[in-house]
Each structure stands twice: as structure tokens, then as C-alpha cells.
Amino acid sequence: MAEKDQRIADGEAVEKEIEAALAERLSGLPSEQADAVRDKIRRRVQEEVERELRIRAASDRKEAREKEKQVEEGEKFVRFNRNFRFQHMVMFTSVILLIITGMPLKFPDFVLSRFVIGFWGGIQNSTIVHRIGAGMLIYFMVHHFLYTVLTRDGRRDFVLMIPGLKDARDIALNVRHFLGKTSERPRFGRFSYIEKFDYWAVYWGCVIMIGSGLFLWFETDVMQFLPKYAIDMAHEMHSDEALLATLAIVIWHFYNVHFNPDRFPGTLLWWHGRLTEHEMKEEHPLEYEEIMARRAGKPPEVAGQ
Amino acid sequence: MRKFLFAVVVFLGGVVLPGFARDAGAAISLEKCTLCHGKPEFRKLLVDGAIRDLFVTGDSLKGSVHEKKGCTDCHFDVNEIPHRERPKRVTCTHCHYKGNREGAPQSDNVLAYFDSAHGKAIAAGNAKAPLCQDCHGSHQILKVKNPESKVSRFKVAETCGRCHMEIYAKYKTSIHGVALSKGIADAPSCTGCHGEHRIYAHTDPKSTVYPTRVSEQCSKCHASVAIMSKFGIETEQVATYNESFHGVASKFGSRTVANCASCHGVHDIRPPDDPLSTVNPRNIPKTCGKCHPGANANFAVGKIHVDAKKKESGIIYWTATFFKYLTICTMLALIVHIFLDMYGRTRRLRGER
């Protein structure tokens, strides 16, 4: 209630100020004209204030609804911050562009290849699109590198991404669990071995693809220093690693985040970056416990390991 | 009744006699023609001072494909002797069309010719463009298979060269020209690549030597082990080109990307060890530099038509092998993991542990 009073008081203050300004501005005009202008302005201001109030009321309702939802679903945990989500979006956009403009060159006789190249208006255009994709991927790589070095979240995540002994144990346990030898499931921290593999696969892929891609992009400049077989090697690497990366994305990554029955047809985690409390307990129990322990002011029991 | 019979006889005569009459008429006309044309000194002084030889005898057609024809079979606009005007240029299409009854080969080549670069030039009024007789000859027309024919495998280049002189000069010293002059029938002459009647400008997409079709044209022979093994030339060049970026881009319709002729030359193709060859290592920087400005000697270090599947390719082969096994092992591991995951889910769905 007090909030509303404050708002009304604010409104009154604004109105007074406007009146004062108007009086000053209109002092020279004949009274009839001045009244007309004042009326007009007053109406416009009133409209604007009303609209503003409507918007505020709507956002208040939305907030209330979300609070209600939160009570129902439990707390939301921010898994990926906005910066990281942006990186992922840049990366997948560029990778999609690169795959659809690059794969037809590896399989020119495949029936769809001609169609895909034709979609861009011919090979001249599709190679330009491929270079745009390449530019985005290079930007992503630079951005991620700076993110890893310069931000706290980036540094923490990078350290947590380093594979350890626990990951080997997790793999063994998970396989035993799949085979039904044990009902125990590996308890993952912030990053499971699956996610660590994805991360390092992208790292390796980016280094190989960008490195060899730049060789092919600036072939004449590279051959000022290196023999032709270096370009051929880059060509072979680019072509082979492209296939490996595409297969890993389409089969492995898509299974884990799309086709897997738990997630089908995919979550919006890449968009909003949040996990529910239930998902957090289910998929990253160690991280959850760590967060809870930190909140309770106790030192975490099993940090990282 | 008499009138009727007379009418029948006249009608039948009109139908049947011309058939008999032709040979007789031709024979007569040959005799009549040679009255003047049979004199060796029968010639005409033209306005520009040139002399047109008009000496023709009964032997002129002897041995040619038109041996059995008479003068007026082709010069059919001559209907009185002596003719008052110069007979028109012979129109071969009088007999040479599909469905003719004159005994000429049933072929649409004449239509193909009209559509070709030469036919179009004639239609556009270019007096220098060739008609049938410019390539095939006039009175001494022989079958293609006859080595003496102007359009036979070994002579056609010379025939084309009468107009395309510079190209003929280049071709004659090229590997194909030299091989042909040695009597190697596998070597292509002009028509081997450009086609016979269907000759188009190389900028016309219908042309057999249009940029995107060049490799297809060369590979007709160069992908054939049967032909290439005779000369000890590898056939993998075609496959390696098709797999290279140049080949793939060409397949997708790029006209600026290199085809066989861009590097090896067009009419002046020479073996790589020839110092004049465009693909001689010493000339590679210049050749590659046509499209890759700044190309240097490094462009020649390493095989050009490299095949990653062959062990001789060295480091490229090892790179390919490394990635092959990396891909197989990684994907196998990932797929096994996926199937194990699905298997586990199925078990749990069935209520097992």
C-alpha cells in the first residue's frame, strides 16, 4: 500500500513540475490559446502515465506468477549465464552454417548436395556463407578464450572442465548401471564426463578446423612460407575433422540433449540457462549439495572431486 | 478409251521415267558439261585478279562418295547448257537430311551444324564461316574412315587449321598433335574434344569444352585404363581432380575454378617434363598465379594430383589415416555409450533393476 502512495505522490510531483514548466512557456500567449495548448498537453501526459501504469501492473502480475511457479517447482538455478548462452548461440549458428555449406563439398555426388548449394545460389555464394560461418566461429573462439581468462565464472568452469580420475570412475559406474549390474548411479558435479567430452571435443574441433581452415582460406599467403603439401594436409584435416565433428554433434550431442527420452524434444536450457531444483538434484547432485552447503555457511564437503 | 490409256501412260511415265531419266540425263549432262569444263585451260579471271580454275572432268567425282552422281544432281540450278549465270553454291541439304530418299546417310548432322558456332556465323552473314564443302571438300568427298578424307582422324586438324591457323600451330607441337602425327590413333584431333558438327564456342554451355565440362571431356580418354596404359599415363588424375576443391566447385557449376585446361593448357598441352609445359615445375608459379596472385615455387613442392588414400602421398596419407581411426574409434565409443544408455532405460522401463 505504501508503495502505491509513493507512486501517487511521484505522479503529483511530476504534474506540478509540468504545470510550472508550462506556465513559464505559455506566459506570453493569449489566454484562450494557452488554455487549449495546456489542455492538449495535459491529456497527452495523462495518457502516457496511464500506459506506464498498465505496463507496471502487467510486469507486477508476471513477477507474482513467476514467484508462484517457483514455489511450485522449487528454486531455479542459473546453470549458464547470459554470456555463456550467447557464446553457445554464436557457435551453433556458425557450425550449422559451416556444416550445410561444407558437407556438400565433401559429398558432391550426394543427391541433396546440389540442392543445398543451389539454395545459396551456387558455389560462389555458398563459399562466402562458409567464410561468414568461419568468421563467427573464430569470433566465438576468441570470445570464449577471453571469457575463460577474464571472468570469474569462466575461470571456475574451465577448472571444473578438466577431466579427473572421478570421470573414469563415473564412466565405469555408469556402464555398470546401464547393464543393470548396480542400481547406483554416478553422482555428477557441475560437469558430467559427457559434458566434459563435449567441451573438449569442441575445443579440439575448433583448433583443428580454424587452423586448417585459415590455411585453406589464405592458401597463397601460407604457401609463401610452407610447401604445397602443407595445404594438402590442411585440406585433409579440414575435411576429415569436419566429418568427425558433424557425426559427434548429430549423433552424440543430439542424443544427449534432444533424442534422449528424458529431454525429448529438447530443453530450453540453451535459451534461459536455468535448471529446476529437481533437475539439479537429478543431474548435478554434487553441485547442488555444494551450493546448499555454501548457503548454510558450511565449507563444501566434496568440492570439485 | 484411247484417251484414257494415253492419260495412264503419261501418268505412269511421269511417275516412273524420272527415275530412269536421271541417270541418263546426268550422263548426258556430264558430257555436255565437259564440253567446256573438260578443257584444262578452262578458267576465269576474277575482278580482283585471282584465277578461278573451272576444270572438271568425268574423273572429278571418281572414288568419292558421290561417284554415282552427275553434275546437275548437286548443281541443280543449271538447267540449260551453257548456263548464263554462275551456278549457286551447292546446297548439301538438298539430299543430306534425315528421311531423304536419295541414298544419302540418314543423319541430322546438318541440323546440328546449323545450330553450331559455324552455322550460326553463316546465318549471321559471316562470309568467312565454313559451309559443308569447306571442311568436307567439294568434288573429292571421301568417307571419314578413309585416311585420305579431309575430315579423317589424321587430316581433320589440317582442315580446321586452314582457318584456325594459330591454334593449329599450337596443337601441332602439343603432345596430342605430336602423337597424332606419329600415327597414334588414340590421340585426339580437333574433333576429339570439340565434337564434329556440334561445335560451339567454349563460352556456350552446350559446348563440350565449356569450363564445367572440360574435365568430363578429358576424362573420356584420361580415365580409361585401356587407353592410358598404352602410354604409361596414370588415370588417377581424373579422380583426384574430381575430389579436389577445383573439381568439386566445377561440378557445382563454378566457371572460374580451374579445370584441366586451366593448368595443362588448351591446344598447347605438353608433358610435364617439357620445359614449355604449363605444368612443368618451373612454370607452375606462373600457371597457378593466373588465379592465385602471388603464387611462388612452393606451389610445385608436393604432388598436385594427390591421393590421400595412397601410401606414396606420405604425410597426407598419414593425416588421413590418423583421422580415419580417430573417427572410427570415437564414434564407436559414443554409439556404444548411447546404446548402453538406451538398453539401461529399457531395462528400467520393464521394471528390471
Side-chain angles (χ1 to χ4, degrees), chain A residues 204-217:
Chain A
W204 158 259
C206 277
V207 169
I208 298 279
M209 294 312 282
I210 292 175
S212 61
L214 286 174
F215 265 44
L216 299 173
W217 191 342

Side-chain angles (χ1 to χ4, degrees), chain A residues 223-233, chain B residues 279-282 284-285 288 296-306 313 315-316:
Chain A
M223 274 196 270
Q224 300 301 319
F225 312 103
L226 293 171
K228 195 222 163 225
Y229 61 76
I231 297 289
D232 288 330
M233 221 176 106
Chain B
V279 292
N280 184 290
R282 264 189 293 167
I284 285 247
C288 297
N296 60 4
N298 274 340
F299 276 66
V301 184
K303 210 170 171 222
I304 303 284
H305 284 270
V306 68
S313 309
I315 191 152
I316 296 144

Side-chain angles (χ1 to χ4, degrees), chain B residues 125-204:
Chain B
N126 183 347
K128 286 182 181 169
L131 279 162
C132 311
Q133 47 271 63
D134 289 312
C135 300
H136 290 277
S138 40
H139 290 120
Q140 271 301 311
I141 297 180
L142 303 172
K143 290 215 159 164
V144 188
K145 287 197 177 121
N146 188 331
E148 290 305 310
S149 167
K150 288 181 79 177
V151 291
S152 78
R153 185 179 289 277
F154 294 99
K155 281 207 166 170
V156 71
E158 203 185 316
T159 305
C160 297
R162 280 170 50 213
C163 298
H164 301 279
M165 275 178 276
E166 269 180 50
I167 292 173
Y168 179 57
K170 275 187 191 169
Y171 169 78
K172 236 192 145 182
T173 52
S174 80
I175 186 162
H176 293 143
V178 169
L180 204 68
S181 68
K182 282 183 193 158
I184 297 171
D186 287 313
S189 187
C190 310
T191 51
C193 304
H194 292 275
E196 289 151 12
H197 296 100
R198 292 169 182 76
I199 294 173
Y200 300 97
H202 67 90
T203 47
D204 186 333

